[in-house]
Amino acid sequence: MRKSPTVHRRRLGAELRKMRDGAGRTHREVAAHLDCSQGKISQIELGRVPVRTSDVRLMAEFYGATDEQVAALVDLAQDSKQRGWWQQYPTTAQRPGFETYLGLETAAKAVSCYGADPIPELLHTADYGRAVFGLSEPSAAELDERMTVSHTRQQRLLGDQPLELWAVLDEAALRRAVGGPAVMRQQLEHLVLMGYRRNVTIQVLPFAAGGHPLMGDRISVFSFPDDADPQVVHVGDTANSRFLDKPADTRGYLAAFEHVCKAALNPKDSSAFISAIADQYT
């Protein structure tokens, strides 16, 4: 489950970009050397496409890489062509940016997230998930596929080396009665139970906290076990999706998330707050 071609592609692209900059080569020169478009070189460096080992070898040698460096890059290229578990669910993976999102989540050791609503998918109950996914009026087959993908993702929170999840929930997500009162009560009770897990931290940002720097944004921050992989910030929703990994781009979002954490209720008070709202759904 932890193997992810997405992360291998991004690491390979970053290494090739670093080598190209060090060698003083332009996209135009590299494209001419490989007899391809400049756009292809850009896509490779951004980690958005799989790349042939022969192209990696040509690029690395063009940059003056050692035999050892070339071998390491070729290994990365081979790993980047593996199939991710989500690729057996093509309808779900076709959602804008979602394939990249799943690839990052699969390889991450920790995910931090904030959004107004709905409740994060990793914390859905089955009934709440069906109610949320059903809002887009999918076919029965598409809905079943999304539920399967959701269940598979949630397994990362369990096991011997579980994903670390830090979720800051806006009060709006707790009060929007998706699926009706019974579904919401069960969902909120589930949040309280999940908050007892050592790898899960849940905070609530109440309306009373006022304005904050992430108003209108939904973000996820992915942290990885290998220091060679920088943190990635995902900003987006079902219509737009951006993935940021350069410190100059992520710094502001990381600071904003820290601000939101400080403004939110602590985990213990958040649990009591969620329980009180759950009691209102009868």
Side-chain angles (χ1 to χ4, degrees):
M1 183 72 173
R2 292 293 293 275
K3 293 183 179 180
S4 172
T6 303
V7 172
H8 291 309
R9 289 176 193 172
R10 294 175 72 88
R11 188 186 303 174
L12 174 63
E15 290 298 324
L16 288 171
R17 182 174 64 244
K18 188 187 303 182
M19 280 189 173
R20 179 179 59 78
D21 288 340
R25 299 292 189 176
T26 65
H27 280 168
R28 182 187 297 273
E29 292 172 326
V30 182
H33 185 68
L34 267 66
D35 192 23
C36 68
S37 69
Q38 294 182 52
K40 176 180 177 179
I41 303 303
S42 178
Q43 291 294 299
I44 289 173
E45 291 186 351
L46 290 171
R48 293 178 178 170
V49 294
V51 54
R52 294 181 299 182
T53 54
S54 58
D55 285 344
V56 170
R57 190 178 298 277
L58 284 172
M59 294 170 74
E61 290 173 348
F62 190 52
Y63 303 150
T66 64
D67 290 343
E68 184 178 354
Q69 288 174 317
V70 172
L73 291 172
V74 167
D75 285 343
L76 263 181
Q78 291 173 335
D79 290 338
S80 73
K81 292 189 288 186
Q82 297 174 351
R83 284 179 58 83
W85 64 268
W86 56 89
Q87 290 177 304
Q88 62 186 301
Y89 306 107
T91 301
T92 298
Q94 285 174 2
R95 291 163 56 195
F98 197 45
E99 184 171 1
T100 299
Y101 191 99
L102 291 177
L104 294 171
E105 184 182 271
T106 295
K109 69 175 182 179
V111 176
S112 303
C113 59
Y114 167 78
D117 55 30
I119 289 166
E121 195 169 324
L122 287 172
L123 296 170
H124 282 187
T125 62
D127 288 340
Y128 181 88
R130 282 191 175 276
V132 171
F133 301 152
L135 295 174
S136 61
E137 300 183 345
S139 67
E142 290 171 340
L143 181 56
D144 287 344
E145 182 179 298
R146 287 202 64 179
M147 291 298 297
T148 299
V149 170
S150 183
H151 176 75
T152 302
R153 293 173 62 194
Q154 290 169 2
Q155 297 310 297
R156 285 292 319 280
L157 296 176
L158 310 174
D160 296 332
Q161 293 183 311
L163 176 71
E164 297 171 23
L165 176 64
W166 191 310
V168 180
L169 310 180
D170 194 282
E171 184 177 343
L174 309 179
R175 294 197 179 278
R176 194 177 302 282
V178 177
V183 169
M184 278 305 298
R185 183 182 180 94
Q186 181 189 50
Q187 173 63 68
L188 298 187
E189 290 172 346
H190 177 69
L191 291 178
V192 172
L193 290 175
M194 290 299 294
Y196 286 121
R197 296 191 62 85
R198 295 180 63 181
N199 60 304
V200 176
T201 300
I202 296 175
Q203 291 183 267
V204 173
L205 185 67
F207 294 146
H212 59 84
L214 287 179
M215 288 180 64
D217 283 328
R218 171 174 290 275
I219 75 164
S220 297
V221 181
F222 301 96
S223 302
F224 305 95
D226 194 322
D227 291 338
D229 300 316
Q231 283 185 309
V232 177
V233 174
H234 171 259
V235 185
D237 51 29
T238 55
N240 301 287
S241 199
R242 289 186 294 147
F243 296 91
L244 312 172
D245 59 8
K246 296 180 180 178
D249 296 328
T250 62
R251 190 175 298 116
Y253 283 104
L254 295 176
F257 183 76
E258 183 177 355
H259 176 105
V260 167
C261 289
K262 290 179 179 178
L265 302 175
N266 64 47
K268 183 178 179 181
D269 290 343
S270 294
S271 180
F273 192 90
I274 295 170
S275 293
I277 295 179
D279 289 340
Q280 297 173 20
Y281 288 109
T282 57

